[in-house]
Amino acid sequence: MERISDTPPTVGELEQRLIDAGLANVQEVIPEALVDLKYSTTDNFFGMDVYGDLQNAYLQPEVAEMLKKAYGLLQQRHPELTLLIYDGVRPRSVQWILWDNLDKPDSLKPLYVADPRRGSLHNYGVAVDLTLAHKQSGEALDMGTHYDFFGYPAYPDREDQMLREGKITQTHIQNRELLRGVMNGAGFKGIGSEWWHFDAFSRKVAAEKFEIVE
């Protein structure tokens, strides 16, 4: 008689598609990393659960290895901390759901979500949304805003101004600089409007190396 513990975990349809596309499960590459997929909850800008039962973060294998390097750099500086992943690959089919349900004129939608017709670096599996967290408690460091916050307090490009206006603190900036430091050191580049978002490659390089994950 088969014991319950011997039963392999079931893999949902979306996750199986990611596996079939050759993507890597981040926690298999970095077992110490934490994952809280915000698009498997309603705790995101859109207030929609679009991933369903997906709980694991997936990236192109090469990008997952870069993230492993970032984790190693973090351990050298702060061994009590780990990476907390909010989003990895975002299939284009999911991007369409977000695009279609965003209550904004089409001309303004790209400010909030990439146009699925063009595709985003998340669609290629080469962008990651993440923060830093304490290993023991799993509690995220305070970065001054929550994930998916649309406004200047979340903009790396506006940190000096937001500090002067009292919207964020020096501690928030130090925490962000630590995150940026380990990610930049592993080859990732951030963007000016989201402290949590990092790209492994440019759009041109991503399109040359990979296919969009549908």
Side-chain angles (χ1 to χ4, degrees):
M1 181 176 172
E2 184 183 48
R3 299 195 306 275
I4 292 175
S5 60
D6 292 334
T7 305
T10 56
V11 175
E13 186 266 338
L14 174 57
E15 186 162 11
Q16 189 61 54
R17 279 172 30 214
L18 304 181
I19 294 169
D20 292 344
L23 299 172
N25 182 337
V26 170
Q27 282 186 305
E28 291 182 359
V29 179
I30 317 168
E32 303 87 352
L34 302 175
V35 173
D36 177 17
L37 287 188
K38 292 297 189 181
Y39 287 95
S40 282
T41 73
T42 56
D43 183 20
N44 54 64
F45 171 75
F46 300 90
M48 294 176 61
D49 176 352
V50 289
Y51 286 164
D53 57 8
L54 180 67
Q55 299 298 322
N56 296 311
Y58 283 82
L59 292 166
Q60 295 290 350
E62 188 176 339
V63 180
E65 288 298 327
M66 290 171 63
L67 200 59
K68 185 176 182 178
K69 181 180 178 182
Y71 176 76
L73 294 172
L74 179 64
Q75 294 314 285
Q76 292 173 20
R77 302 183 194 183
H78 288 276
E80 77 281 6
L81 299 178
T82 188
L83 304 176
L84 171 57
I85 316 298
Y86 289 142
D87 200 20
V89 68
R90 188 181 304 156
R92 181 150 57 181
S93 56
V94 171
Q95 196 91 0
W96 273 114
I97 294 171
L98 298 177
W99 179 267
D100 289 341
N101 283 275
L102 182 59
D103 187 21
K104 302 281 183 184
D106 275 8
S107 60
L108 295 180
K109 284 185 179 184
L111 296 174
Y112 302 92
V113 59
D115 189 333
R117 286 164 291 215
R118 184 164 180 250
S120 75
L121 291 175
H122 274 297
N123 298 156
Y124 283 101
V126 301
V128 60
D129 295 344
L130 79 170
T131 190
L132 302 174
H134 296 279
K135 279 182 182 175
Q136 287 205 317
S137 66
E139 181 182 357
L141 268 60
D142 187 352
M143 298 291 185
T145 77
H146 55 74
Y147 171 67
D148 251 8
F149 179 88
F150 283 88
Y152 286 156
Y155 281 39
D157 284 356
R158 296 274 185 160
E159 283 172 354
D160 290 345
Q161 175 191 345
M162 293 296 100
L163 181 63
R164 288 195 304 271
E165 294 180 7
K167 302 288 176 59
I168 61 174
T169 68
Q170 192 63 51
T171 298
H172 297 144
I173 293 177
Q174 289 170 351
N175 289 343
R176 294 180 187 188
E177 287 176 340
L178 176 59
L179 175 61
R180 285 196 290 265
V182 299
M183 293 299 284
N184 295 161
F188 289 90
K189 289 186 169 57
I191 62 174
S193 57
E194 299 174 354
W195 59 257
W196 56 83
H197 179 102
F198 293 88
D199 298 323
F201 303 109
S202 67
R203 180 180 295 275
K204 180 176 182 295
V205 172
E208 290 170 354
K209 292 170 73 75
F210 307 108
E211 300 284 336
I212 283 181
V213 177
E214 300 292 351

